[in-house]
Amino acid sequence: MPVDVNALISQYGYLALFIGCMAEGETFTLLGGVAAHQGLLHYGWVVLVALAGGTLGDTLLFLIGRRYGTALLKRFKNHQNQINRANRLIRKRPALLIIGVRFMYGLRIIGPIIIGASGIKLRKFLPLNLLGAALWAIIFVTLGYLGGQIITPWLAVLDHHIKQLFWVVLTLVLVWGIRIFLKRRAGKKKEEAGRD
């Protein structure tokens, strides 16, 4: 029985978009916009689902930050520069950070935790988070929708030639792998000859 990909996207696309926007975001909103352009999903619903997923995800992270933030942030040793920068911004312009945290590279997940740990009240966070999520959802879904005009013809070509592309890539990987194997083998033989 063949699988109807369009039906799967239409049926589970919104759920996948919602979960994806809770966890990560931009990739899912862009793909949601492309799916809307192709007529698999409705543009307005994609925006609303992305908005809901983004809002809920950041609110949960904010609440985690309120409860466990200080202890959690100590574990992010590689992100201390971003944490310090975010803390400075919270003190100077908290509203700007709450609205813009989704657009700041490296702060998408850790940002709401930092905001929660800062002691900002939930009643202040929620409306600003909703505004930031609305801007984010509209911008990225629209970019995906407009990008769909460019991507859709490529997808059709890719679908038509996917088998040939797969075999070409597989052949290149095999050749590359054999070359590395032979190079390492020759290097080991030289080492062994040098020891003798």
Side-chain angles (χ1 to χ4, degrees), residues 8-102:
L8 284 174
I9 292 172
S10 297
Q11 187 174 2
Y12 299 108
Y14 295 113
L15 178 60
L17 177 67
F18 179 77
I19 293 168
C21 288
M22 280 182 63
E24 189 268 328
E26 286 79 14
T27 303
F28 288 91
T29 53
L30 289 167
L31 291 175
V34 171
H37 178 267
Q38 293 176 333
L40 301 173
L41 301 174
H42 186 272
Y43 173 84
W45 281 110
V46 171
V47 171
L48 288 175
V49 169
L51 165 66
T55 300
L56 181 60
D58 281 7
T59 302
L60 291 173
L61 291 170
F62 172 83
L63 293 173
I64 289 169
R66 289 283 297 248
R67 180 137 175 115
Y68 307 105
T70 306
L72 264 177
L73 293 174
K74 288 179 183 174
R75 294 179 176 216
F76 289 98
K77 294 183 182 2
N78 295 337
H79 297 279
Q80 289 306 311
N81 288 338
Q82 288 120 327
I83 292 169
N84 294 336
R85 187 179 58 179
N87 280 324
R88 284 192 301 273
L89 194 54
I90 287 170
R91 287 190 294 277
K92 291 180 183 176
R93 295 189 177 90
L96 181 65
L97 180 65
I98 295 168
I99 293 169
V101 73
R102 327 185 133 64

Side-chain angles (χ1 to χ4, degrees), residues 163-178:
K163 288 181 184 173
Q164 292 87 351
L165 181 63
F166 171 77
W167 288 113
V168 167
V169 170
L170 182 62
T171 303
L172 290 172
V173 168
L174 285 173
V175 168
W176 181 67
I178 291 169

Side-chain angles (χ1 to χ4, degrees), residues 77-180:
K77 294 183 182 2
N78 295 337
H79 297 279
Q80 289 306 311
N81 288 338
Q82 288 120 327
I83 292 169
N84 294 336
R85 187 179 58 179
N87 280 324
R88 284 192 301 273
L89 194 54
I90 287 170
R91 287 190 294 277
K92 291 180 183 176
R93 295 189 177 90
L96 181 65
L97 180 65
I98 295 168
I99 293 169
V101 73
R102 327 185 133 64
F103 300 98
M104 296 177 180
Y105 179 76
L107 291 176
R108 177 69 180 98
I109 302 294
I110 199 172
I113 295 172
I114 296 168
I115 295 167
S118 74
I120 287 178
K121 302 287 184 209
L122 184 61
R123 67 177 178 268
K124 180 174 185 174
F125 175 79
L126 284 178
L128 293 170
N129 181 41
L130 189 62
L131 176 60
L135 292 170
W136 171 80
I138 290 168
I139 290 168
F140 282 97
V141 171
T142 302
L143 285 172
Y145 188 87
L146 296 174
Q149 294 174 339
I150 298 165
I151 294 169
T152 301
W154 286 52
L155 290 177
V157 170
L158 182 62
D159 187 45
H160 186 274
H161 298 290
I162 194 78
K163 288 181 184 173
Q164 292 87 351
L165 181 63
F166 171 77
W167 288 113
V168 167
V169 170
L170 182 62
T171 303
L172 290 172
V173 168
L174 285 173
V175 168
W176 181 67
I178 291 169
R179 184 172 176 225
I180 289 175

